[in-house]
Amino acid sequence: MSSSTLSKEELLGVVARGTTVARVRRDSMSDSSQSGERKKCRWESGTGVPSDSFVSPEGWTPASWRSFPIKQQPEYSCGVASGKARAKLAALPPLVTAHEVMDLRAQLEEVGRGGRFILQGGDCAEKFDDCTSSTIETKLRLLFQMGVIVVWGARIPLTRIGRIAGQYHKPRSKTMEPHGDGEIPCYKGDAINGFGVEDRVHDPERLVAGYFHSSATLNYIRCLLDSGFADVSKYHPKEWDLGFVTDVSTKRMYNNIVKDISHAFEFMASCSKAPARIEGANKLYTSHEGLVLDFEEAMTREIDGKNFNLGAHMVWIGDRTRQLDGAHIEYFRGIANPVGCKCGPTTDPAELVKLITALNPDNIPGKVVLISRFGAGKVDNKLPEIIKGVQAAGLNVVWQCDPMHGNTYSTDAGIKTRSFDDVLAEVLQTFKAHEECGTWLGGVHLEMTGEDHVTECVGGSCGLADGDLHRAYESQCDPRLNGQQSLEMAFQLVEVLKHRKLKRAV
């Protein structure tokens, strides 16, 4: 997402008014799910979107998913209220632009060729209460600091994608949970229901609230990027605190990387008085799991004959909703956005090939991102088979590793956590599997927070143990790496990426 869409002054005005930055005029229309009409946008510049071979399949509409079986959707008690919420969302401006979506597609095509790496991360589930300037700044600061480490340490261009400005919906393995002598609905994210016991009823107005919280987040992100937040000079290694690293050999490795980055900063400073910039460093793309199809449909716009989900730059299909004959595949196959798809131990390689083909029948590079999530120790048994199946079918995909979801466990006290060592082990095992198969692991997808004090995942150089989790466990869903653990992951990525690049160069 480029910060050049509006000037700084215009952006500040936008934030004050609480509106979005997308410069479009929408045709007057009613809710597509009720009228069947297509939502269209016309860009004021009249330049359209970049040329591309993608077209929505014949017979597809943003609402055609409604004829397919579906899972993990909210259960609203009032159809009239949910219809009003959908109509409201459909009438609101988009959150991102088609140009930005296509820019991301172009970067992902480069990732697929092995010339770029993806750093994707953020909260497991965003909270409405965290839509504050300080929290947003902390999330962005971590992504950009990790980016500096990877770019300068591994010498590779980076694409930054946040789990931000829309990650308000969560699938759950169960619909109900025990409470007192009975049961209550499980928490499914702030845009579906509240975390408090009294707020567990699914409320369609929360979808609209999710839109406005996403809009406010995006507007502030654009303001930050426009005001120089991404300038590399703001992330000089002299400001980094590695005091949490106690192991001597590990600290030596990290300090060597820091020294290398410091020398690069000093060289840039001696060459120019202008703030140091890395090409594309002021871009951040947004993403969320496309779970609630009422919302995704309402965010779909037709532009120059193509259908874009303009609620985010990238959306992904979760492990629980990727059924080949299901509503999610039907919806996702018609949008021009890059589409992520989770795959794991239960994935059948032959079915995955059919799924990829359904999502990308023209085999367009950069269109489909396969996000593997197996768990440490399970990668070697299954991932190579999946990679070889995709290779044999001649399919263009971007490979990414989610080392979080396959490594969740509960402590003896019943607290859900993850081990940093397991997370890192899955990353390393996944790199190894791709190296042996001759493919490029193009990115990682992490659940993380910029707050150092958070205690949700154990391990890492900060030395958190099961007994520490109660101190600052703030996630309402799954455990996240804290700021220190996330930085350590970036340092570890540098080492493996350096090795991988050297091997590919031979």
Side-chain angles (χ1 to χ4, degrees), residues 112-130:
R113 294 196 302 264
R116 181 176 283 271
F117 196 75
I118 303 166
L119 176 61
Q120 186 170 2
D123 288 316
C124 168
E126 292 179 275
K127 296 183 284 190
F128 290 168
D129 287 346
D130 284 343

Side-chain angles (χ1 to χ4, degrees), residues 414-448:
I415 302 174
K416 188 188 292 187
T417 189
R418 293 159 174 159
S419 166
F420 176 89
D421 294 340
D422 290 342
V423 171
L424 176 59
E426 179 162 358
V427 171
L428 298 178
Q429 291 162 13
T430 304
F431 266 108
K432 179 174 178 288
H434 281 285
E435 182 176 342
E436 292 175 350
C437 291
T439 47
W440 170 252
L441 176 59
V444 292
H445 188 139
L446 305 171
E447 291 186 342
M448 61 189 193

Side-chain angles (χ1 to χ4, degrees), residues 95 128 165-166 168 191 205-215 295:
L95 294 173
F128 290 168
Y168 291 117
E205 279 301 312
R206 283 181 169 269
L207 291 179
V208 180
Y211 168 92
F212 283 112
H213 282 83
S214 298
S215 174
F295 182 84

Side-chain angles (χ1 to χ4, degrees), residues 127-350:
K127 296 183 284 190
F128 290 168
D129 287 346
D130 284 343
C131 185
T132 65
S133 58
S134 60
T135 302
I136 295 168
E137 288 171 17
T138 299
K139 292 176 182 179
L140 260 64
R141 187 173 293 109
L142 176 64
L143 272 171
F144 281 100
Q145 187 173 355
M146 292 175 71
V148 167
I149 294 171
V150 173
V151 169
W152 284 107
R155 306 293 196 273
I156 189 166
L158 193 71
T159 295
R160 298 165 186 80
I161 306 176
R163 291 173 59 107
I164 196 168
Q167 183 58 11
Y168 291 117
H169 321 104
K170 287 294 295 182
R172 304 308 295 266
S173 56
K174 296 180 180 179
T175 59
M176 306 293 287
E177 65 182 43
H179 178 71
D181 295 330
E183 291 183 324
I184 57 173
C186 288
Y187 172 67
K188 288 178 67 70
D190 278 8
I192 296 178
N193 59 356
F195 188 72
V197 172
E198 69 281 1
D199 293 325
R200 293 298 179 91
V201 175
H202 296 182
D203 181 359
E205 279 301 312
R206 283 181 169 269
L207 291 179
V208 180
Y211 168 92
F212 283 112
H213 282 83
S214 298
S215 174
T217 300
L218 268 167
N219 286 336
Y220 191 55
I221 288 173
R222 293 182 192 270
C223 286
L224 289 173
L225 297 183
D226 186 65
S227 62
F229 189 86
D231 289 348
V232 178
S233 57
K234 296 183 183 296
Y235 301 93
H236 198 290
K238 67 183 180 182
E239 306 294 334
W240 301 355
D241 180 11
L242 298 180
F244 65 92
V245 183
T246 56
D247 179 77
V248 175
S249 61
T250 301
K251 192 158 192 170
R252 184 183 303 115
M253 180 182 75
Y254 294 172
N255 280 332
N256 286 338
I257 296 172
V258 168
K259 187 182 298 182
D260 184 32
I261 297 172
S262 296
H263 289 162
F265 271 70
E266 291 164 6
F267 173 77
M268 289 190 300
S270 67
C271 293
S272 174
K273 294 182 180 180
R277 290 182 180 270
I278 299 174
E279 182 180 357
N282 67 330
K283 289 187 177 181
L284 176 73
Y285 300 98
T286 64
S287 66
H288 64 255
E289 179 173 354
L291 181 69
V292 181
L293 294 189
D294 277 337
F295 182 84
E296 308 306 334
E297 176 190 333
M299 290 291 99
T300 306
R301 306 287 189 267
E302 183 182 331
I303 302 171
D304 292 350
K306 303 180 190 302
N307 289 280
F308 290 85
N309 182 323
L310 298 183
H313 299 105
M314 173 185 174
V315 283
W316 73 85
I317 307 167
D319 198 46
R320 296 183 178 96
T321 55
R322 55 174 168 78
Q323 295 77 24
L324 189 59
D325 61 348
H328 286 81
I329 299 302
E330 169 60 20
Y331 170 76
F332 277 78
R333 76 189 183 99
I335 58 174
N337 301 60
V339 170
C341 184
K342 295 288 185 82
C343 58
T346 62
T347 302
D348 175 70

Side-chain angles (χ1 to χ4, degrees), residues 84 111 170 190 239 311 359 468 490:
K84 287 182 177 179
V111 173
K170 287 294 295 182
D190 278 8
E239 306 294 334
L359 293 172
D468 300 313

